Amino acid sequence: DVKVTQSSRYLVKRTGEKVFLECVQDMDHENMFWYRQDPGLGLRLIYFSYDVKMKEKGDIPEGYSVSREKKERFSLILESASTNQTSMYLCASSIGGARDTEAFFGQGTRLTVV
Amino acid sequence: AQRVTQPEKLLSVFKGAPVELKCNYSYSGSPELFWYVQYSRQRLQLLLRHISRESIKGFTADLNKGETSFHLKKPFAQEEDSAMYYCALKNRGSTLGRLYFGRGTQLTVWP
């Protein structure tokens, strides 16, 4: 079974803090994604990566950055957390290449910025 | 530009009743359509995709290119079907795997 693991289930951070959300996948997938999930807004893509050190902006990249130094790990960074970044964050991966099919999701990190 | 629309935010049915969750899309290329489901306190997971043309947990979905729809149907809803359902679209043949999601429909099946 593909396993996508997010380092924290719940996080509470203060406004202005730098926040790191970590995601690890164990199936040698090329593609990795960060979404935020908000009621009524569905899933919105923040950033994605199709290879080590490669990244692409999604639909809502403002206030976020990412890092992919190793294939299995994709980090989301909130440079200076704000209350409007309080949300559920989902990491996902997919195999990539010509065989790319479904995405596999982590369990989510519920971030509260106070 | 690609867009996925799920017109119903909430949908309630009684156990044993038919259920249909609507999904419409707009996309200029060749799309691949999916339904993802998130049960309470579980991670988001794939339910089915149009290419496989299979029935999962009694659910089916047919891609209608003329109406640009991919509605999810089940003839007899069960209480365990209560969940959040997301319709998603991908560029068929894309290696990047980027998905475009609708806003989701929360399905509640009453006993």
Side-chain angles (χ1 to χ4, degrees), chain A residues 4 8 11 23 25 32 44 52 58 61 67 82 95 101-102 107:
Chain A
V4 179
S8 303
L11 273 180
C23 175
Q25 50 95 3
M32 295 190 75
R44 294 179 292 166
V52 175
S67 172
S82 64
I95 194 168
T101 55
E102 70 178 281
Q107 77 278 25

Side-chain angles (χ1 to χ4, degrees), chain B:
Chain B
Q2 52 286 322
R3 187 180 184 93
V4 178
T5 303
Q6 294 178 248
E8 302 131 335
K9 193 173 177 180
L10 302 169
L11 185 62
S12 294
V13 299
F14 284 102
K15 177 182 172 181
V19 63
E20 181 179 48
L21 290 85
K22 291 183 167 38
C23 173
N24 289 90
Y25 68 90
S26 62
Y27 187 61
S28 56
S30 181
E32 187 171 353
L33 274 295
F34 304 81
W35 278 99
Y36 281 81
V37 61
Q38 189 170 31
Y39 301 103
S40 179
R41 289 185 287 277
Q42 293 187 29
R43 63 185 69 199
L44 192 64
Q45 59 187 290
L46 178 70
L47 180 62
L48 54 79
R49 56 193 189 115
H50 88 270
I51 283 180
S52 55
R53 301 180 69 84
E54 56 191 344
S55 172
I56 304 291
K57 299 186 179 183
F59 284 98
T60 58
D62 290 317
L63 180 61
N64 185 324
K65 291 186 178 180
E67 296 182 359
T68 59
S69 68
F70 187 57
H71 303 327
L72 183 68
K73 300 176 185 179
K74 185 169 183 176
F76 307 102
Q78 303 299 315
E79 289 178 68
E80 55 265 30
D81 296 328
S82 296
M84 178 67 86
Y85 292 80
Y86 292 97
C87 183
L89 174 153
K90 186 169 86 80
N91 178 5
R92 192 166 176 174
S94 168
T95 60
L96 298 181
R98 176 177 176 161
L99 289 166
Y100 298 88
F101 284 89
R103 296 190 173 196
T105 298
Q106 178 69 50
L107 173 66
T108 302
V109 181
W110 299 104

